[in-house]
Every structure is written in C-alpha cells, then in structure tokens.
C-alpha cells in the first residue's frame, strides 16, 4: 500500500525553512522556475542546468525535480536524506537561522534511490512525449491477456481436501498405508469406520419435539421418513431410473440399515425400549454401537460397561451408497436427486413429532462452489464505491486542476490489472480457486494508492510549465515511494506461497502478480492519461485567459471541458488540501499535548492487554461448515450435530504396521500395554474398543484351542472370520499365511473443539511412536484435523519470513536505526492486535485468516515506516514539532490509503459466506490498527525519545 503520497506539502516546503513568524509566507513558487531552454532540452539537460544554478549562491534555487537532493521532504524519506534548513541566501528577510543543534550531517544512502529516480525521470519524459503510445499499449496487452478469462472455470469441481488441507500432511501418508493394506467391500459387509476414505452417504438427523424420541408414535414417524427416503429414485444419464436398493451398500445381502436400533424396532414392534443400554447395546448376541446413532441422551444406572438409556433427543439415519467402480457415479446421481427432493418429502409427510435436518457427502463440495457466486454482484458495488471515493478525494473547485476523470481512470487502471493477471494466470494453468475471488476487492483498495500519489505530485508542479517537464518531475518524485510500497506488499504476498495450503498459494500468486501489474499500469497507462489531462489543463488555461470573442457559442463549447467550475484560481496559489491543514493546525497540536499523550498511552496499554488476551482465545482451524453460505441447509445440520452428537467423535484405527508374532504371549502383552495407553487417554472411551485379537483369543479359548501355538493360531483364523466377517477387514494375511498388519478401533470422546482435536491427534501419534511395536493411528477425518496442527506453524513461519523481508527492505531503503526499530515494533504490535481481536470477532486462525496476517505485515510496514522516517528526517529542534510536521506531511495520504482499502473490501461484509466476511474482517482490523499506529501511537511514542 503506497502511503508516502506527497499530496500534502505546499511548494514553499520543498526546501526546509527555519521557523518564521505567524502569518509570514515564503516567496512565490514562480521564483523557483528554471530556464525555458533547460526544460525544452530534456530531463538530463534540465537537471544539469539546475545543478549549475545551485552552484551559484546568488542565483535562484532550482526546481525540486532536478535531482534526488531536491525531493520534497515527504517524498525524500526513501533516499536516506535528512531535510536541512535553507541557506541564508534562500531565507526570507528577517528570518532567524536554525539552531546549530538541528544541523546534523546527512545520511547519504541513495545508492538505490538515485538511479531509480533518474530512470523514472526519463520515463516520465517519455510518457509526456508519447502519451497515446503508453496509453494504448497496456490496453492492447490487457485485451490479449484478458482473453485467458475464457478458461475461467464455471462449474468445475474444486477439491476441498486438495485446496484447504495441508500439503504432505501425515494423515495423507497414513491413508495411503491403509488403502494399500486393508480392503473393504461395499457389496458384502459394509462398515463405515473401516473405510479409508469418505464414502457416498446421506445423513438425516431426526430431532424429537418432545423430551425423548423413544416413544412408539415418534419412532413410527421416523420409520415413515426412513421408508420415504428409501423409496426415492433418480434419473440416470441415459434416462434409466436409479433405485436406492440398486446403489446402497450391502450387509448380508441387504441394504445396510439406516439405524440398527430403528431396524430392530421395525423388526420387533414389541421391543422393550426401556431396556436399551448406551453407548453399546447387545442385540441377538451382536454388539450395536449407538454412540454416533443417538444424541441428546439421558442415562440411568450402570449395566456393565454401559448405562441404561432413559431418553434420547435425536436419532441419526445413515444411507450409505457404493463407491466402487461404475456404481460411484450412479450413487452420486442418487444423492443429488435426494437433495432436490428432500424438502418436498418433508412437506408431503407432514411430520409433527420430529424436526429434520440433512447432509450428504456431496453437500460440502456443492455448497462451497455456490459461495463464489454470491460475491459476483458485489464486484459492481465495490468498483462504484471506489470510483466515488477517488472522485471525491481528487475533486477541486479549480476547473483546471480538477482531477475527477483522472481519478476515475485510476480505478479503471486497477481493473485492467486484474483482468490482465487473471487472464495470464489462467493461460499458464494456475488454478482459480474460490478464495481468489477476494483478490479483486483487495486490489481495488490497494491498487489506487499509487494513483493518489501521482496525482498529488502532479498538483505540486507548476501549471504553466512544459508538459514533458511536469511529467518528468512527477515521476522522479514518486519513483522510490511507489516502488518501495509495491515491493513490500508484493513480498508479503509472495511469502504466502510458502504456506502448506494450495488455495492460499494460488491466492498469493494471483494477488501479488496483480499488484505488480497495477504498478506497471500506473507508471504507463495511468501516467499517459494524466499527461493527456495535462494537455487539457494547458488548453483550458489558454481558453480561460483569452478575451471574449464574438463566437460565444464556440467558446462556451470549448469551456465545457473545464467543468465543473468556470473559475480559475490564481496561477501560483498553493494547492493545499484542507485535510493537510487539519493535521497541521488541529490534530497534530492536540496529539502533542501532555493530557493527550497520557490518554494515548493509556489507550495503547488497553489495546495491548486486550490483544494479548485475545491471542490465547483464538480458535484454530477452518470449520468446514463455514465453507458454505449462511442460508445453506448444512448449517442447521451441523448445529444439531454439535448440540446432540458432540460427545463422541470418530472411531480411530490403531494399526500394527509390521509383522508381529500374535501367537506369542509376550508380544500380545506388549501390544495390549500400548492399546491400554490409548484407552487410558482422556479422549478415549475404554469400553468401546474393538479389537479382533481380543475376540480371537476368546474364540480360541471357547473352542479349547491353543492360542499360543503358531499353527493353531493361523489355521483357525478362517473359522473365526466366518463367525465375525467384519474382522476379516482388520487382518492382512499374506499368501504365505503371515499376518502383515492388523488394526484395532478406539472410540474418541470430548473432541468437539478444534483445540481438543489437535491435542487428541498429537497425543495419539505420540503414543504410537512410544510403543515398542510399530503403530499408526488413522481416521479419514484426520485429513482435516491436520490443519489444526499445521496452521499455527505455517502462520509463525510466514510471519517471521515476511517480517525479516520487511526489515531488510527497511534497512536498504530507509536505513535509519530508529526508523527500523519502530517499523519492527509496529509490525509486531499490529500482528498481535489483529490476532487478538480476531477472537472477539469470531474469526478462527485458519487458512483464510492466516494469509491476511502475512499481508498485514506489508501494510503495517507502510504505515510505520513513513511516519517514523518523516519524524527522524525532520529538521525541527522540538520532538513535538517533528511529530506535527510528520502528521502534516503524511496524515492525509495515510488516512486516504486506509479508507480506500476499507472501501474496497467493505462490500464483502454483506457476503453470505464466512470465507468472504473473514477477509473483510481481517483487512478492516489491519487497516484500522495500522492507521491507528501511524496516526496516533507512533507519533506520540516518538516524542518520548
């Protein structure tokens, strides 16, 4: 974000003067103009001419654009030069010389600034000489690159797992192991917990309107709902009907029951519902795990490892479909039809005793893809608001200097950059993901800042000077300013490419490259338009100065280009914006009063306390429900699930990854010890562990067979699997009758929060590493849980790298120790503040907010670097005067930059999706806290040193 706008200093401030009496103003700026011959000869000749003039003390001072030594104070910060008081021959009569203490040696560090300024000076001359070339070439380039938008995906699926989970996460490696060593058959005996990946399914949660659904009437209504869902059919691609029983997962030759307890009740309507135990219920000699099937339970007395079930508020109905081969697509077709018909199904059934919410394995993907469409109407509003702001900011009653059209074109220039980069990225194959839709809003706010700087520098040139000279002057002044702010912001974005989340990598590539194009278009296309408008100024000036002619109609037509006003200010009048006067005459003096300083210190202390407290309250990880819009049907589903089914989490595989002599008693004891460590965890219900080896030992003992004999152990496994077919999926036996690997299942509890999920995952993996036997833990939900462990590490790493890059830039381009110190402290303070207040605004530390924290480093650098360097470069002897001068020079452009960025993203606050609102919230915090540091905190703290 470019903040070093010179839109503030009057022409008499271009060379620092000693304090003067109130009401006294320096001589006319027209006295500082060089020879006409020097202006016509070109920038180099003009610069040489002015250098010669400066060498003679008796001659008039040169134009400030002639060299980097003549930069105005607010634009001179990047050169490392300290503004000095004017020499005696340049001071007005009667002025008092600056005290000797203020005459400090300059810090000559313009090895980067000087050649850059000269190069821009030459570029400005060329733009002023050939404006139509520099205007049309970028537009043609935009047309060519913009054609790449034809590759913009319309209905293509965006893989949420691929884009929003960490690259190379441990869970993905664990999944590959499970897929390579264990199988599951959807058409024979289906087991949801034994699948290595998420299957095709539809979940329906039935919530009782009464205290409990364990009543005959309520169960009858749930049964009607279940039968209606099973009766749904979908139309396939070739027009054939797809029935549920054709695509459902099978168990024992029948579709897997949607709920075993409901199935038992349907089979036996006289089932005694008062004898049901929870979380495990033994029915017909088989154990049914009800932990994930019933929610909102009220339990009674203990019966063994379970307790008597008194009440249950909610029931889960699960409809699992085949995922193998050609059946996968047919299953998805049925699920889409289910989503289209389920609302009408509810109405037709006229349900009275239950409320219904639903979710499918496709819902998250479909709803997430729909969120990007919700922000498309906001693009037009954002552009309109930015254009209005730019026009108002650049409005002048002076009909000649008015820059409304130029400001509007500056916004168009930023739009051209967006079109060019998006087309280019799509051409070279960089995926367009949903989060990239945030980029144009940010570019709108940030990309127009350089425009404000160039307009400000233009308005400080003399209106009667040669056009090419004025353009050269403008470019030499803004060279370092817009370059350094572009470099810092682009560095901040490109640092984000280091993150482990692909979606953020693509967002940073798109946005960082767009900022580079904004910079390129500003110094070419926008500069050319400004030069053409400069020609309008010259023509208008001549027309308005001409005596009235007989052809009043023709003259009126010509004057129409000079609207909105037909008045002309004095030729050499200062163009000082009222906001600059506000910071100099009101805000600055008020802020430097002792009582104001005390209040600022108190306010900052409160800010820091709240920020640090909030940092410890921030939740980590992206809640998957937030990938959908607010009015999506999945939101009430997750709310019900969180309210009634949050006690029990997923069933986790504990996998023995290597060969083990299971028939050896010592080996079994070591394995049992390790499994006991898991069961003793606070995140595990020890009564719900499912392990084939324990059941097999009981099976062998009940058949009076020696479990410690290798041959007996291996030869009886087939008989055991005949009785317990699901355990056949848990044992991997090679062709040589060796057990390669096997697995057990533990039931997790108490992991409803992201913090608990992260701690559980870390604890389980740590227990697996400590075991003497090689173990691994896995559940397909771990693919998403891994973000909780990666997000903090990624954030800290990216923040450190970006901060280091900003620090190096500050040393290279603004090499003052005190300035670099304040830049570092301000960056740290803003990051802490944004992170802390995220918690108060219900924003998680996730893959979306993480990149905003990295971005805020670049923005906070701009705020802090400009104000601190303006302070240390001031020649005023008093720290209060230094602060007032810094605010006078930079207060308005800093405020202008913050407001423009906020306006650019504010429309996202109206979005119905968390992913876009979060972007607005973080950017709002960044701009508010960054501006507060630049305009309030740092100016006051600098007066203490």
């Amino acid at each position: 974000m470019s903040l070093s706008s010179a839109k503030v200093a009057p022409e008499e401030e271009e060379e620092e003067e000693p304090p003067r009496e109130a009401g006294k103003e320096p001589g006319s700026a027209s006295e500082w103009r060089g020879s006409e011959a020097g202006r016509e000869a070109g920038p180099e000749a003009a610069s040489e001419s002015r250098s010669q003039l400066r060498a003679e003390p008796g001659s008039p001072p040169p134009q400030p654009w002639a060299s980097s030594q003549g930069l105005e104070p607010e634009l001179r910060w990047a050169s490392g030069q300290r503004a000095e008081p004017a020499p005696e021959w340049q001071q007005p009569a009667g002025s008092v010389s600056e005290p000797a203490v203020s005459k400090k040696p300059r810090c000559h560090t313009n090895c980067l600034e000087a050649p850059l300024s000269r190069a821009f000076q030459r570029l400005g001359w060329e733009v002023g000489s050939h404006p139509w070339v520099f205007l049309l070439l970028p537009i043609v380039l935009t047309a060519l690159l913009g054609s790449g938008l034809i590759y913009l995906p319309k209905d293509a699926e965006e893989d949420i797992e691929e884009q929003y989970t960490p690259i190379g996460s441990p869970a993905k490696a664990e999944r590959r192991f499970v897929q390579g060593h264990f199988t599951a058959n959807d058409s024979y005996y289906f087991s949801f917990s034994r699948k290595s990946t998420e299957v095709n399914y539809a979940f329906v949660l039935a919530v009782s309107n009464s205290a409990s659904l364990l009543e005959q009437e309520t169960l009858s209504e749930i049964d009607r709902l279940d039968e209606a869902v099973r009766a749904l059919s979908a139309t396939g691609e070739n027009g054939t009907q797809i029935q549920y029983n054709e695509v459902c997962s099978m168990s024992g030759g029948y579709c897997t029951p949607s709920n075993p307890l409901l199935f038992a009740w349907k089979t036996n309507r006289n089932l005694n519902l008062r004898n049901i135990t929870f979380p495990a219920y033994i029915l017909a000699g088989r154990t049914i795990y009800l932990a994930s099937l019933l929610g909102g339970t009220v339990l009674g007395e203990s019966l063994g490892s379970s307790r008597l079930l008194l009440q249950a508020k909610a029931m889960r109905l699960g409809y699992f479909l085949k995922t193998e081969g050609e059946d996968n697509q047919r299953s998805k077709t049925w699920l889409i039809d289910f989503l289209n018909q389920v609302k009408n199904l509810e109405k037709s059934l006229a349900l009275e005793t239950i409320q219904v919410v639903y979710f499918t394995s496709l819902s998250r993907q479909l709803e997430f893809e729909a969120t990007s469409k919700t922000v498309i109407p906001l693009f037009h509003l954002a552009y309109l608001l930015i254009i209005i702001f730019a026009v108002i900011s650049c409005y002048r009653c002076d009909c000649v200097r008015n820059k409304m059209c130029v400001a509007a074109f500056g916004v168009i220039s930023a739009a051209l950059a967006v079109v060019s980069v998006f087309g280019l990225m799509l051409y070279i194959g960089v995926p367009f993901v949903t989060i990239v839709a945030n980029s144009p809003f940010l570019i709108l706010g940030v990309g127009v800042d350089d425009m404000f700087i160039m307009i400000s520098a233009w308005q400080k040139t003399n209106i009667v000077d040669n056009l090419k000279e004025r353009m050269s002057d403008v470019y030499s002044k803004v060279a370092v300013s817009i370059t350094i702010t572009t470099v810092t912001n682009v560095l901040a974005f490109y640092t984000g490419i280091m993150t482990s989340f692909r979606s953020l990598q693509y967002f940073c590539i798109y946005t960082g490259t767009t900022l580079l194009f904004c910079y390129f278009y500003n110094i070419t296309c926008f500069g050319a338009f400004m030069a053409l408008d400069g020609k309008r100024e010259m023509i208008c000036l001549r027309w308005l100065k001409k005596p009235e002619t007989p052809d009043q109609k023709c003259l009126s037509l010509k004057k129409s280009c000079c609207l909105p006003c037909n008045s002309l200010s004095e030729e050499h009048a200062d163009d000082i914006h009222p906001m600059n006067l506000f910071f100099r005459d009101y805000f600055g003096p008020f802020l430097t009063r002792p009582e104001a300083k005390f209040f600022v210190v108190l306010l900052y202390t409160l800010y820091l306390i709240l920020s640090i407290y909030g940092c410890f309250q921030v939740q980590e990880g992206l809640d998957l429900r937030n990938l959908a819009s607010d009015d999506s049907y999945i939101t009430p589903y997750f709310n019900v699930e969180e309210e009634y089914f949050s006690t029990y989490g997923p069933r986790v595989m504990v996998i023995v990854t290597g060969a083990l002599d299971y028939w050896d008693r010592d080996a079994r004891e070591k394995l049992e010890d390790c499994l006991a460590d898991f069961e003793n965890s606070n995140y595990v219900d020890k009564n719900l562990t499912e392990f084939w080896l324990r059941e097999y030992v009981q099976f062998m003992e009940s058949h009076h067979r020696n479990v410690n004999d290798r041959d007996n152990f291996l030869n009886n496994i087939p008989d055991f699997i005949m009785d317990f077919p699901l355990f056949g999926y848990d044992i991997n036996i090679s062709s040589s009758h060796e057990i390669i690997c096997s697995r057990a299942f533990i039931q997790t509890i108490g992991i409803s929060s992201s913090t608990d999920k992260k701690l559980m995952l870390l604890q389980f993996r740590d227990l697996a590493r400590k075991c003497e036997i090689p173990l691994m833990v896995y559940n397909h939900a771990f693919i998403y849980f891994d973000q909780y462990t990666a997000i903090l590490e990624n954030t800290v790493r990216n923040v450190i790298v970006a901060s280091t890059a900003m620090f190096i830039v500050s040393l290279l381009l603004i090499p003052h120790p005190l300035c670099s110190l304040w830049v570092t402290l301000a960056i740290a303070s803003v990051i802490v503040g944004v992170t802390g207040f995220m918690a108060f605004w219900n924003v998680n530390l996730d893959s979306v907010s993480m990149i905003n924290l990295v971005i805020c480093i670049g923005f906070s650098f701009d705020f802090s670097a400009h104000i601190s360097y303006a302070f240390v470069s001031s020649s005023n002897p008093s720290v209060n005067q230094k602060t007032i001068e810094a605010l006078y020079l930079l207060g308005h452009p800093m405020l202008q930059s913050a407001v423009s960025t906020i306006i650019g993203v504010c429309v996202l606050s109206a979005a119905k999706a968390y992913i876009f609102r979060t972007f607005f919230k973080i950017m709002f915090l960044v701009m508010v806290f960054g501006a507060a540091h630049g305009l309030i905190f740092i100016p006051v703290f600098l007066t203490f040193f």
Side-chain angles (χ1 to χ4, degrees), residues 140-185:
V140 172
L141 178 62
T142 300
L144 293 176
L145 296 179
S147 61
L149 293 176
I150 61 175
Y151 299 106
L152 187 69
K154 295 179 175 60
D155 300 317
E157 290 188 3
E158 182 176 328
D159 192 334
I160 294 179
E161 178 189 312
E162 176 71 14
Q163 301 298 337
Y164 294 91
T165 60
I167 301 171
S169 67
K172 293 179 181 178
E174 294 159 0
R175 178 174 60 186
R176 288 192 293 270
F177 181 90
V178 173
Q179 290 175 329
H181 293 81
F182 298 98
T183 60
N185 193 328

Side-chain angles (χ1 to χ4, degrees), residues 690-737:
E690 185 180 8
F691 189 21
W692 71 271
L693 184 59
R694 292 177 179 176
E695 300 294 335
Y696 186 58
V697 170
Q698 293 182 8
F699 173 84
M700 293 287 285
E701 291 176 349
S702 65
H703 288 77
H704 306 291
R705 295 169 184 169
N706 185 7
V707 72
N708 298 315
D709 180 74
R710 179 183 183 279
D711 292 335
N712 273 332
F713 189 96
L714 295 175
N715 293 335
N716 284 278
I717 288 180
D719 294 337
F720 170 71
I721 293 176
M722 288 291 294
D723 291 347
F724 302 93
L726 287 179
F727 286 137
Y729 297 138
D730 302 336
I731 312 170
N732 185 342
I733 303 178
S734 67
S735 57
S736 58
H737 302 288

Side-chain angles (χ1 to χ4, degrees), residues 576-796:
I576 306 178
H577 197 282
M579 285 300 296
N580 303 138
L581 300 178
F582 166 77
F583 279 101
R584 184 188 68 182
D585 300 336
Y586 298 99
F587 185 77
F590 170 78
L591 199 63
T592 54
R593 293 168 58 182
E595 55 269 28
K597 292 181 182 180
F598 173 79
F599 177 76
V600 169
V601 173
L602 185 64
L603 179 64
Y604 182 77
T605 303
L606 178 62
Y607 159 82
L608 206 57
I609 292 174
L610 290 175
S611 299
I612 294 174
Y613 172 77
C615 288
F616 291 98
Q617 308 302 316
V618 174
Q619 296 292 317
E620 298 176 28
L622 181 64
D623 190 340
L624 294 180
R625 83 182 74 182
N626 291 330
L627 295 177
S629 59
D630 299 337
D631 55 359
S632 170
Y633 61 87
I634 74 173
T635 301
Y637 172 86
F638 279 111
N639 292 338
V640 170
E641 190 173 55
E642 183 177 357
E643 182 177 0
Y644 298 116
F645 294 91
S646 60
T647 302
Y648 292 90
R651 293 181 65 80
V652 175
M653 304 177 192
V654 180
I655 306 166
V656 182
T657 59
L660 181 68
D661 296 337
Y662 294 92
W663 52 87
D664 182 78
R665 186 185 301 274
D666 292 338
R668 290 202 305 271
E669 289 179 355
K670 290 180 181 180
L671 182 56
E672 284 291 342
D673 290 341
C674 292
L675 201 56
D677 290 338
F678 282 97
E679 292 175 329
N680 292 330
S681 168
N682 294 330
Y683 298 113
V684 175
D685 187 335
K686 64 176 62 180
N687 297 317
L688 297 180
T689 301
E690 185 180 8
F691 189 21
W692 71 271
L693 184 59
R694 292 177 179 176
E695 300 294 335
Y696 186 58
V697 170
Q698 293 182 8
F699 173 84
M700 293 287 285
E701 291 176 349
S702 65
H703 288 77
H704 306 291
R705 295 169 184 169
N706 185 7
V707 72
N708 298 315
D709 180 74
R710 179 183 183 279
D711 292 335
N712 273 332
F713 189 96
L714 295 175
N715 293 335
N716 284 278
I717 288 180
D719 294 337
F720 170 71
I721 293 176
M722 288 291 294
D723 291 347
F724 302 93
L726 287 179
F727 286 137
Y729 297 138
D730 302 336
I731 312 170
N732 185 342
I733 303 178
S734 67
S735 57
S736 58
H737 302 288
E738 296 287 343
I739 301 179
I740 299 174
C741 54
S742 69
R743 61 185 174 184
F745 295 87
I746 55 177
Q747 177 64 55
T748 58
I749 57 173
I751 58 168
S752 57
S753 70
S754 59
T755 301
D756 289 328
K757 291 173 182 176
K758 180 179 72 173
L759 294 177
M760 177 270 292
L761 185 57
L762 293 175
Q763 184 186 93
F764 283 7
R765 286 175 175 164
D766 185 58
L767 290 173
R769 282 191 298 269
K770 291 180 179 179
C771 181
E772 295 183 40
I773 296 171
L775 295 182
M776 174 189 293
V777 290
Y778 174 74
N779 181 279
H780 57 77
F782 286 4
I783 301 292
Y784 296 98
F785 288 4
D786 264 336
Q787 66 169 315
Y788 303 128
T789 63
I791 196 70
L792 184 60
E793 174 191 346
N794 275 259
T795 302
V796 172

Side-chain angles (χ1 to χ4, degrees), residues 2 20 62 97 127 129 249 325 467 499 588 592 596 699 851 878 892 905-906:
S2 301
R20 56 179 178 265
S97 298
V127 172
S129 302
S249 297
L467 175 63
T499 185
T592 54
F699 173 84
I851 195 58
S878 165
H892 181 222
V905 299
C906 72

Side-chain angles (χ1 to χ4, degrees), residues 73 89 111 113 156 262 273 297 345 378 433 452 530 535 833 838-839:
W89 56 266
C111 58
E113 184 272 337
L262 179 66
L273 300 175
T297 57
L345 191 65
L378 301 179
V433 295
F452 290 133
M530 191 167 63
K535 291 185 177 182
M838 281 167 48

Side-chain angles (χ1 to χ4, degrees), residues 356-637:
V356 175
V357 292
Y358 53 93
F359 182 79
T360 74
S361 55
L362 301 180
S363 295
R364 190 182 296 119
Q365 184 76 44
L366 296 174
E367 291 299 293
F368 178 66
E369 292 169 3
T371 58
S372 60
K373 300 177 182 178
T374 63
V375 299
I376 293 177
L378 301 179
F379 284 145
H380 309 90
L381 179 60
Y383 275 89
L384 177 63
L385 290 177
I386 287 292
I387 290 176
I388 292 174
F389 173 76
V391 167
I392 293 175
S393 297
C394 300
Y395 176 80
R396 295 290 184 276
C397 290
D398 184 342
C399 62
V400 176
R401 289 181 177 268
N402 198 285
K403 294 296 175 189
M404 293 191 301
C405 293
V406 177
F409 187 81
V411 180
I412 296 174
S413 177
L416 295 178
V418 172
V419 173
S420 299
V421 172
F422 279 40
L424 174 63
M425 294 296 108
L426 292 170
Y427 260 133
I428 64 179
V430 180
F432 182 90
V433 295
T434 299
I435 193 175
V436 174
N438 285 305
S439 181
F441 297 96
L442 179 62
I443 296 300
L444 271 180
V446 178
V448 298
D449 292 343
D450 290 349
M451 171 196 74
F452 290 133
I453 287 181
M454 296 180 69
I455 292 177
S456 175
W458 172 269
Q459 290 174 335
K460 295 186 185 304
T461 60
N462 197 290
I463 195 170
V464 297
D465 282 349
N466 179 271
L467 175 63
K468 289 177 282 189
E469 178 184 330
R470 295 179 73 187
M471 290 299 298
S472 183
D473 189 6
V474 168
Y475 274 59
S476 66
K477 287 179 179 179
V478 304
V480 178
S481 174
I482 66 176
T483 300
I484 189 175
T485 48
T486 299
V487 168
T488 54
N489 289 324
V490 171
L491 276 178
F493 278 104
Y494 282 170
T495 300
I497 300 177
M498 299 170 50
T499 185
S500 299
F501 298 86
R502 294 194 186 278
S503 58
L504 298 189
Q505 292 178 349
Y506 300 143
F507 172 80
C508 291
I509 292 173
Y510 271 88
T511 311
T513 309
T514 305
L515 286 178
L516 280 177
F517 268 68
C518 276
Y519 172 75
F520 171 70
Y521 281 10
N522 273 321
I523 62 178
T524 55
C525 184
F526 174 73
F529 190 88
M530 191 167 63
L532 293 174
D533 188 74
K535 291 185 177 182
R536 178 197 63 83
E537 288 185 2
M538 298 170 61
I539 294 173
C540 284
L541 187 63
R542 288 199 300 267
W543 287 343
L544 292 175
K545 285 186 174 181
K546 280 183 179 180
E548 295 296 323
T549 63
D551 192 357
Q552 293 293 333
K553 182 178 180 181
C554 180
L555 182 62
S556 301
L557 181 62
K558 289 182 177 181
K559 283 188 176 182
S560 64
C561 77
C562 304
L563 294 176
C565 298
N566 59 359
S567 62
L568 176 64
S569 61
E570 295 183 14
E571 179 182 344
H572 303 302
D574 294 331
D575 186 26
I576 306 178
H577 197 282
M579 285 300 296
N580 303 138
L581 300 178
F582 166 77
F583 279 101
R584 184 188 68 182
D585 300 336
Y586 298 99
F587 185 77
F590 170 78
L591 199 63
T592 54
R593 293 168 58 182
E595 55 269 28
K597 292 181 182 180
F598 173 79
F599 177 76
V600 169
V601 173
L602 185 64
L603 179 64
Y604 182 77
T605 303
L606 178 62
Y607 159 82
L608 206 57
I609 292 174
L610 290 175
S611 299
I612 294 174
Y613 172 77
C615 288
F616 291 98
Q617 308 302 316
V618 174
Q619 296 292 317
E620 298 176 28
L622 181 64
D623 190 340
L624 294 180
R625 83 182 74 182
N626 291 330
L627 295 177
S629 59
D630 299 337
D631 55 359
S632 170
Y633 61 87
I634 74 173
T635 301
Y637 172 86

Side-chain angles (χ1 to χ4, degrees), residues 794-808:
N794 275 259
T795 302
V796 172
R797 183 183 68 239
N798 291 339
V799 165
I800 291 176
V801 172
S803 300
T804 303
M806 297 303 107
F807 183 72
I808 294 173

